[in-house]
Amino acid sequence: MADLEYHGNYEWHPGDCPESDGTFKTAGAAVVAALHDLHANAERLAREKFASAEGAARMLQPFQEKVVAEASRQRRLVSIAAAELKRAEDDLFSPPALEPGDAVGASDDMQRRIWYDSLSVNQRDAFEIEAREGKHPDIVRSLARSPVPGRGRAFGVAAHHAEVETKKAGRVRALETRRRALAWAEGVLSVAPRVAQSAPSSERPVESP
């Protein structure tokens, strides 16, 4: 039986997580650590040459399974953190809601939407230019709160989003970094198990997320 010819395909590096700490970095790091444990054992078996390629593959199987199991476990934790991130984004960018039973506020919202819909093309364009400059915030919020899809709501949501990005830039950047960290973690949890399940003697190129 031939000795194991290991080409280092388990020594996979996904790059740095955009976040310095947190659930997403911890999840990815845990899976990469399990993968590198598999790599270290594959290297040792190839170096010591006391097992055939078939025997070494059987000995490495538990380490391969550990990577897959760790990815599955971390995927559950990442999904919880991803839902929390989505709620934080929604809370940040959603326009302030009216208090329950605020009939006056609801009436004001309705009148502002009717007013916007009654504008001519030129009037609407002029209003939207001013709104993008930070003017008419009450009208923008009324449009953004509209339950009816359409140009008015779309403009209100976009204008309110831009206002938040300007006034709460630090918070927006923090959430954007966390969103990139989620994408990084999802890439690790997707790719690392596939790398681990490849044959120890495989010479295929290493994947990246």
Side-chain angles (χ1 to χ4, degrees):
M1 294 291 183
D3 293 328
L4 171 66
E5 293 186 15
Y6 176 57
H7 303 283
N9 51 300
Y10 300 139
E11 191 179 19
W12 179 75
H13 298 280
D16 294 331
C17 178
E19 276 193 314
S20 59
D21 55 25
T23 302
F24 302 137
K25 181 175 182 178
T26 299
V31 175
V32 172
L35 184 62
H36 288 176
D37 189 29
L38 168 60
H39 163 70
N41 280 277
E43 260 195 340
R44 176 180 58 80
L45 290 171
R47 183 176 61 251
E48 293 176 351
K49 298 184 183 301
F50 68 80
S52 66
E54 292 79 5
R58 286 194 295 273
M59 295 173 71
L60 290 172
Q61 186 174 353
F63 297 99
Q64 292 174 305
E65 292 172 350
K66 180 181 177 181
V67 176
V68 175
E70 185 63 31
S72 178
R73 186 175 78 87
Q74 294 297 337
R75 198 171 284 113
R76 290 192 292 272
L77 300 177
V78 164
S79 68
I80 295 171
E84 293 172 350
L85 172 59
K86 179 64 168 58
R87 285 194 293 272
E89 291 171 331
D90 289 345
D91 288 344
L92 179 63
F93 288 110
S94 294
L98 296 176
E99 292 292 331
D102 184 358
V104 174
S107 176
D108 288 344
D109 274 2
M110 180 64 70
Q111 292 303 316
R112 289 166 185 152
R113 292 171 197 146
I114 293 172
W115 173 84
Y116 174 87
D117 290 338
S118 71
L119 296 176
S120 68
V121 173
N122 290 339
Q123 290 172 328
R124 186 180 62 208
D125 289 346
F127 162 75
E128 290 183 355
I129 290 171
E130 292 182 352
R132 291 189 189 97
E133 294 172 348
K135 301 174 184 178
H136 316 299
D138 291 341
I139 300 176
V140 166
R141 293 188 185 102
S142 293
L143 293 174
R145 282 194 291 258
S146 174
V148 181
R151 181 187 174 97
R153 187 174 76 175
F155 173 76
V157 169
H160 179 69
H161 195 291
E163 179 186 355
V164 172
E165 287 183 330
T166 299
K167 293 183 176 179
K168 299 181 180 180
R171 181 61 177 152
V172 171
R173 285 195 299 271
L175 290 177
E176 287 175 344
T177 298
R178 193 143 176 78
R179 176 61 61 179
R180 292 196 301 273
L182 169 59
W184 176 86
E186 289 176 336
V188 172
L189 299 183
S190 173
V191 175
R194 296 203 299 270
V195 173
Q197 290 174 304
S198 63
S201 58
S202 171
E203 295 184 61
R204 67 176 175 79
V206 174
E207 296 184 64
S208 62

